[in-house]
């Protein structure tokens, strides 16, 4: 399988705990994106990287959220001191930026439930 | 800021019926436009895209035309199948090179045999 992979697929945690998600993009894709999707809504952009550099962060990304892509390959998204409002599906996407338009390919997501 | 508005769902059709899902957008300049589909239990998949005015994206019998004058990108299919049952998302990416996607709320389509 050469698609975008995400781990874990499901995470249940208690309020106040820290969680970390991992995303492995399609090989050689230089851009990696994180989105959040709540039930019945479309995905909302959180942040994206080009290689190792974090180029854009949404205002949705509070100080409790941090994302890294240390070697320009996989990425991690950490949420500190989780709140019930953080419960959502966290989606990762990757793309190869060439020319005018890059097409984003999405992973299956990590579903977070905060109790 | 950028925004995408989709017709409210859910939409229920009989097999072989004609499908239209409306999508309008607000953006600065000339964004790229997309339709993504999410089948039950699966991740988002790109269905089709268009990068400039009057472009028509097409795939699997679905079509959408980029209409700058009406800021719309409506999704159509002439004859739907049960296997088309899914959630459909309209999205845009700002110019010039594309980065974050802004999605609509999604439209749940159910096709009955």
């Amino acid at each position: 399988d050469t698609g975008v992979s995400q781990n874990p697929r499901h995470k249940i945690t208690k309020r106040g705990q820290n969680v970390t998600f991992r995303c492995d993009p399609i090989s050689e894709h230089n851009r990696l994106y994180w989105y959040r999707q709540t039930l019945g809504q479309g995905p909302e952009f959180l942040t994206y990287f080009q290689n190792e550099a974090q180029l854009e962060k949404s205002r949705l990304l509070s100080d409790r959220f941090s994302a890294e892509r240390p070697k320009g390959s996989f990425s991690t998204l950490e949420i500190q001191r989780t709140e019930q409002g953080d419960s959502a599906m966290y989606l990762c996407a990757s793309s190869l930026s060439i020319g005018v338009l890059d097409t984003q390919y999405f992973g299956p997501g990590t579903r977070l439930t905060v109790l | 800021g950028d925004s995408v508005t989709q017709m409210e769902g859910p939409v229920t059709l009989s097999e072989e019926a004609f499908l239209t899902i409306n999508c309008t957008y607000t953006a600065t300049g000339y964004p790229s436009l997309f339709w993504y589909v999410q089948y039950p239990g699966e991740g988002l998949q790109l269905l089709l895209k268009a990068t400039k005015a009057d472009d028509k994206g097409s795939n699997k019998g679905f079509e959408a035309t980029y209409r700058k004058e009406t800021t719309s990108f409506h999704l159509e299919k002439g004859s739907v199948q049960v296997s088309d049952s899914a959630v459909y998302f309209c999205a845009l990416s700002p110019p010039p090179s594309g980065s974050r996607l802004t999605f609509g709320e999604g439209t749940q389509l159910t096709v009955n045999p």
Side-chain angles (χ1 to χ4, degrees):
Chain A
D1 187 5
T2 58
V4 178
S5 61
Q6 293 187 244
N7 288 287
R9 294 291 305 276
H10 299 90
K11 178 70 177 179
I12 300 174
T13 190
K14 293 182 179 179
R15 189 176 54 184
Q17 299 294 305
N18 299 342
V19 295
T20 299
F21 311 140
R22 176 178 170 127
C23 171
D24 287 88
I26 293 172
S27 179
E28 298 180 353
H29 276 192
N30 58 345
R31 286 188 174 180
L32 186 148
Y33 304 77
W34 286 100
Y35 294 83
R36 180 173 67 188
Q37 184 178 19
T38 53
L39 198 61
Q41 301 295 315
E44 296 174 297
F45 170 79
L46 294 178
T47 187
Y48 92 95
F49 295 83
Q50 180 153 316
N51 301 315
E52 304 90 352
Q54 190 172 17
L55 295 189
E56 188 174 354
K57 293 170 60 174
S58 165
R59 283 171 288 181
L60 292 175
L61 213 64
S62 75
D63 292 345
R64 297 184 297 105
F65 288 69
S66 62
E68 296 183 343
R69 195 182 183 199
K71 296 184 179 180
S73 57
F74 74 92
S75 175
T76 58
L77 177 68
E78 181 183 17
I79 308 174
Q80 296 182 328
R81 305 181 303 282
T82 52
E83 302 173 354
Q84 288 185 327
D86 298 330
S87 295
M89 179 76 85
Y90 290 84
L91 301 173
C92 176
S94 71
S95 69
L96 180 62
S97 177
I98 52 173
V100 175
L101 178 67
D102 58 335
T103 298
Q104 296 182 32
Y105 296 87
F106 283 79
T110 294
R111 181 170 296 283
L112 173 66
T113 302
V114 181
L115 302 176
Chain B
D2 298 343
S3 67
V4 176
T5 302
Q6 288 183 234
M7 68 182 292
E8 293 185 8
V11 174
T12 302
L13 296 173
S14 298
E15 207 165 22
E16 299 184 3
F18 184 85
L19 169 70
T20 299
I21 300 178
N22 290 338
C23 171
T24 57
Y25 68 89
T26 302
T28 303
Y30 292 85
S32 296
L33 302 174
F34 306 82
W35 278 99
Y36 277 83
V37 59
Q38 190 168 35
Y39 296 103
E42 299 185 15
L44 280 166
Q45 299 176 25
L46 177 66
L47 181 59
L48 53 84
K49 63 185 178 184
T51 59
K52 61 184 186 294
D54 300 325
D55 266 2
K56 177 183 284 188
S58 61
N59 186 27
K60 300 181 180 180
F62 291 90
E63 293 183 338
T65 301
Y66 189 142
R67 301 290 188 197
K68 181 65 177 175
E69 63 276 12
T70 54
T71 61
S72 65
F73 193 55
H74 305 321
L75 182 68
E76 296 182 337
K77 186 174 185 182
S79 176
V80 294
Q81 305 301 311
V82 173
S83 58
D84 294 326
S85 298
V87 182
Y88 292 81
F89 293 94
C90 185
L92 69 81
S93 180
S97 60
S99 55
R100 67 188 182 286
L101 288 167
T102 298
F103 286 87
E105 293 184 350
T107 301
Q108 171 76 56
L109 170 66
T110 300
V111 180
N112 295 318

